[in-house]
Amino acid sequence: MNSFKIIGFTKDFRTNTNVIYAQILVQEYFELIGENYNKFQLQRKREVHRGYKRLKEDLQKGALIPGITLAIEPNVASDFIDIIEKQDISKITEKIKHVKDNIYILDGLQRTHKIKELLDNDVKFKNDQKLLLEIWIEPDISHLVYRLIVLNSGQKPMSMRHQIELLFTTMRVTLTKEIDNLEILVENEESKRTSGRQFPFERLVTAYYSFLMRSPEVDKSSIVSERLIEEKIMDGNEEYLTESFSAFKKYLNDYCLLDEHLFRICDKTNLKSFRNWFADANVINSFFAAIGKLHESRAERVQSAIGVLKTQLTDGNSGEDVLRLEDYKKIRQEVADPKVYNVGYATRLLLVNSFSEYFRDEGLTSLYNCWVDMSISLKKS
């Protein structure tokens, strides 16, 4: 990676984010970002259309393509502050060379895919063909949340879901350090879940999205209501966005504890099929959507209800169906009649309404009774 060269510095004074401009030879780019650069980028798969075919051809001919934006994970970025303020190029360069496992692509994934395809096919680039890089170095989580969700959205068309994925990608290491024993799995590792507190990356992304959007329908929610909520989020100030993310992390920490104890209770028993219940996409999205609806106005009730769940599961013995999940399974099967509803939609409707009622009642009405009440209501509708 001898060609990596810093060519300038700037700062976003709104968020106080330090930015480095740099160049690197195309063939050395993956020495900087690592071969596993796409491990947690679930939303932006390789796209195939005429424009990217032309991009690939132009790269081969030595074209200077638009710059690629990278970010250094905030937990690591804090180590850069002193040397960046001094603009000590040699020390910054040396430090960047050793953090490739903590560098993420914020803009330029498709360009990166095309470069990788050419290299894998032994295409030889021009001797001095370089890439332009913009590297964000932001250790303050509140600034990063604002930067990714608001400022980034004003620069290019980007879905809220995509922006949240970027946020979680760049904060993955920080999250695992802030939430005890949280382990983030890539999508194809879900079957390797061997204990509680292990969640596929995508589940955390959609859980936060559900929390913000107040709906578990992460793929087909109402366009009108979605846009109204997105506008509120976009219009929110840095404090609002920071508080929302901090609240989500607090609830996620509680959720990890619930998951840990349910896994312990169910593992190696007749309830084994329920050990991953809290990791199920429908459950986690519905849980956080229900909290999203209530946490601003009824946070104390939500916290009381979660406290009841914590006590039930913490005190639960191995093999004890504390939450009556066997009954939940029967209720869900009755409600999610494929002749009447889409099964996934019906499941989420049952869950989000039940969790909402459970939280409103501070956990005084059991989850089982909430499932029964909501199932009756759904059958009548």
Side-chain angles (χ1 to χ4, degrees):
M1 206 172 79
N2 296 328
S3 68
F4 180 83
K5 181 181 179 181
I6 293 173
I7 58 176
F9 298 87
T10 191
K11 180 173 284 195
D12 182 318
F13 289 101
R14 170 60 184 84
T15 59
N16 210 37
T17 303
N18 287 296
V19 179
I20 295 171
Y21 293 107
Q23 288 180 326
I24 193 169
L25 286 174
V26 176
Q27 59 266 32
E28 292 187 358
Y29 174 50
F30 289 93
E31 294 179 32
L32 172 66
I33 65 169
E35 293 291 329
N36 208 16
Y37 65 94
N38 195 35
K39 184 176 182 182
F40 288 95
Q41 307 271 6
L42 300 180
Q43 289 307 110
R44 296 171 291 160
K45 305 296 186 183
R46 293 178 190 242
E47 297 180 19
V48 180
H49 58 68
R50 193 173 301 170
Y52 288 122
K53 181 176 182 291
R54 179 62 180 271
L55 171 67
K56 194 171 174 180
E57 293 171 353
D58 286 345
L59 270 166
Q60 284 183 264
K61 295 174 182 177
L64 180 64
I65 64 173
I68 293 174
T69 303
L70 308 174
I72 292 177
E73 203 277 334
N75 188 64
V76 176
S78 58
D79 296 335
F80 282 79
I81 299 306
D82 288 342
I83 55 177
I84 284 181
E85 295 298 332
K86 296 174 183 175
Q87 296 192 1
D88 191 328
I89 289 176
S90 62
K91 287 185 178 179
I92 296 170
T93 301
E94 191 61 31
K95 189 172 282 290
I96 284 177
K97 288 180 179 180
H98 290 90
V99 296
K100 68 180 181 182
D101 290 334
N102 300 108
I103 293 180
Y104 306 103
I105 299 169
L106 297 188
D107 182 44
L109 185 64
Q110 299 304 325
R111 279 160 272 166
T112 300
H113 283 326
K114 297 310 168 188
I115 294 169
K116 186 71 166 67
E117 288 171 14
L118 291 170
L119 288 171
D120 288 345
N121 290 324
D122 295 323
V123 170
K124 301 300 180 186
F125 291 98
K126 306 298 180 184
N127 288 336
D128 200 34
Q129 189 173 345
K130 295 176 181 176
L131 290 173
L132 293 173
L133 306 174
E134 179 179 308
I135 306 173
W136 296 358
I137 300 177
E138 179 52 79
D140 190 317
I141 290 173
S142 64
H143 292 164
L144 187 64
V145 172
Y146 185 81
R147 175 90 196 185
L148 288 176
I149 292 183
V150 176
L151 296 185
N152 212 39
S153 67
Q155 296 169 6
K156 60 179 72 68
M158 186 183 296
S159 71
M160 176 67 71
R161 169 82 175 265
H162 184 163
Q163 292 166 64
I164 290 170
E165 183 199 329
L166 290 179
L167 174 64
F168 274 80
T169 300
T170 53
M171 294 185 64
R172 179 173 53 86
V173 176
T174 298
L175 278 172
T176 56
K177 289 190 175 183
E178 291 185 353
I179 299 178
D180 289 343
N181 300 316
L182 172 64
E183 184 178 349
I184 301 177
L185 309 172
V186 295
E187 190 174 21
N188 59 8
E189 290 179 340
E190 184 177 356
S191 61
K192 297 180 181 178
R193 194 175 131 94
T194 56
S195 67
R197 298 179 178 266
Q198 295 176 325
F199 296 96
F201 175 76
E202 184 183 28
R203 300 288 159 80
L204 299 181
V205 171
T206 59
Y208 184 48
Y209 184 82
S210 298
F211 175 77
L212 285 176
M213 304 305 290
R214 306 172 185 179
S215 168
E217 301 307 311
V218 295
D219 296 316
K220 296 181 180 179
S221 55
S222 165
I223 292 175
V224 174
S225 62
E226 179 177 339
R227 286 180 178 170
L228 286 172
I229 296 172
E230 284 192 6
E231 285 176 7
K232 177 183 176 182
I233 295 167
M234 295 302 180
D235 289 340
N237 57 28
E238 186 172 326
E239 289 71 27
Y240 168 76
L241 291 169
T242 303
E243 287 170 6
S244 294
F245 190 70
S246 296
F248 172 78
K249 285 193 298 180
K250 180 188 73 174
Y251 291 123
L252 179 60
N253 190 53
D254 291 334
Y255 196 81
C256 284
L257 181 66
L258 301 178
D259 177 56
E260 176 185 3
H261 283 290
L262 184 64
F263 193 101
R264 169 187 60 79
I265 289 169
C266 297
D267 194 28
K268 299 177 182 178
T269 73
N270 292 334
L271 298 173
K272 186 177 179 180
S273 62
F274 295 112
R275 67 180 187 175
N276 294 328
W277 190 72
F278 277 121
D280 177 80
N282 290 326
V283 175
I284 191 170
N285 291 345
S286 299
F287 185 93
F288 282 97
I291 291 178
K293 292 179 180 181
L294 299 169
H295 89 100
E296 289 184 4
S297 60
R298 302 180 181 180
E300 291 183 1
R301 292 192 176 197
V302 172
Q303 207 57 60
S304 294
I306 291 174
V308 173
L309 273 180
K310 281 183 183 179
T311 300
Q312 285 181 305
L313 290 167
T314 302
D315 294 345
N317 298 315
S318 178
E320 182 183 359
D321 193 359
V322 177
L323 302 183
R324 299 185 66 171
L325 292 175
E326 291 281 11
D327 291 318
Y328 160 78
K329 182 178 178 181
K330 295 173 185 176
I331 293 169
R332 188 195 69 82
Q333 288 172 342
E334 290 177 3
V335 170
D337 183 349
K339 296 177 183 177
V340 180
Y341 289 110
N342 170 284
V343 173
Y345 174 75
T347 300
R348 291 187 293 275
L349 198 58
L350 171 66
L351 284 167
V352 72
N353 288 342
S354 298
F355 281 132
S356 296
E357 186 61 29
Y358 183 76
F359 294 145
R360 284 193 195 96
D361 200 33
E362 301 182 82
L364 296 177
T365 300
S366 70
L367 268 180
Y368 168 74
N369 285 330
C370 290
W371 293 329
V372 170
D373 291 344
M374 290 306 141
S375 68
I376 293 171
S377 176
L378 287 173
K379 288 173 187 176
K380 289 179 179 178
S381 63

